Every structure is written in C-alpha cells, then in structure tokens.
Amino acid sequence: MGIVKVIEVIAHSKVSFDDAVQQAVAEASKSVRNIDSVYVKDMKCHVKDGKIDTYGVICKVSFRVE
C-alpha cells in the first residue's frame, strides 16, 4: 500500500488564478517528487487602486512517498 503526503503551499500571480496554481506546482516540483494532485483550498485577490493587482491561492499538494 502506498503512502500519500500532503503539504500546503501559497502562490500568487499577476496574471490569473490558473497561473498562480501553475506556479505553486512548479515551485513545489523543485523539491517534491511524485506529485499526484493539487487541491485549491482558497483563492483571494489583492486590490490596488480599485483594480485586481495579484491573484493568490492556497493549495494542498499531494504526493506519493517512496
């Protein structure tokens, strides 16, 4: 039986929520192998001068432990 571990990461993007999730996975992949899935736990935007400045996500990244 395999073991799956979950870590929580926070990422942001000036482009979109999708890009923020992509950045979360890309950054986590630098130090974590065998990533299976990403669950977006929360999303938020930072507003500056009445416009969205950055998109932020809190993600749970699941990966298999060897």
Side-chain angles (χ1 to χ4, degrees):
M1 181 172 121
I3 302 293
V4 175
K5 186 169 184 175
V6 179
I7 59 171
E8 195 166 87
V9 297
I10 299 170
H12 69 277
S13 167
K14 290 222 175 244
V15 179
S16 66
F17 285 118
D18 182 58
D19 188 56
V21 175
Q22 293 285 350
Q23 296 217 22
V25 172
E27 196 63 31
S29 294
K30 291 180 182 178
S31 60
V32 175
R33 292 181 306 215
N34 303 319
I35 294 176
D36 285 327
S37 64
V38 178
Y39 166 73
V40 179
K41 180 179 168 185
D42 200 9
M43 302 186 320
K44 69 175 182 177
C45 295
H46 290 274
V47 176
K48 184 176 182 180
D49 298 326
K51 295 183 180 179
I52 294 175
D53 186 46
T54 57
Y55 301 85
V57 292
I58 299 173
C59 298
K60 291 191 175 216
V61 178
S62 302
F63 58 96
R64 288 172 279 115
V65 178
E66 294 178 350

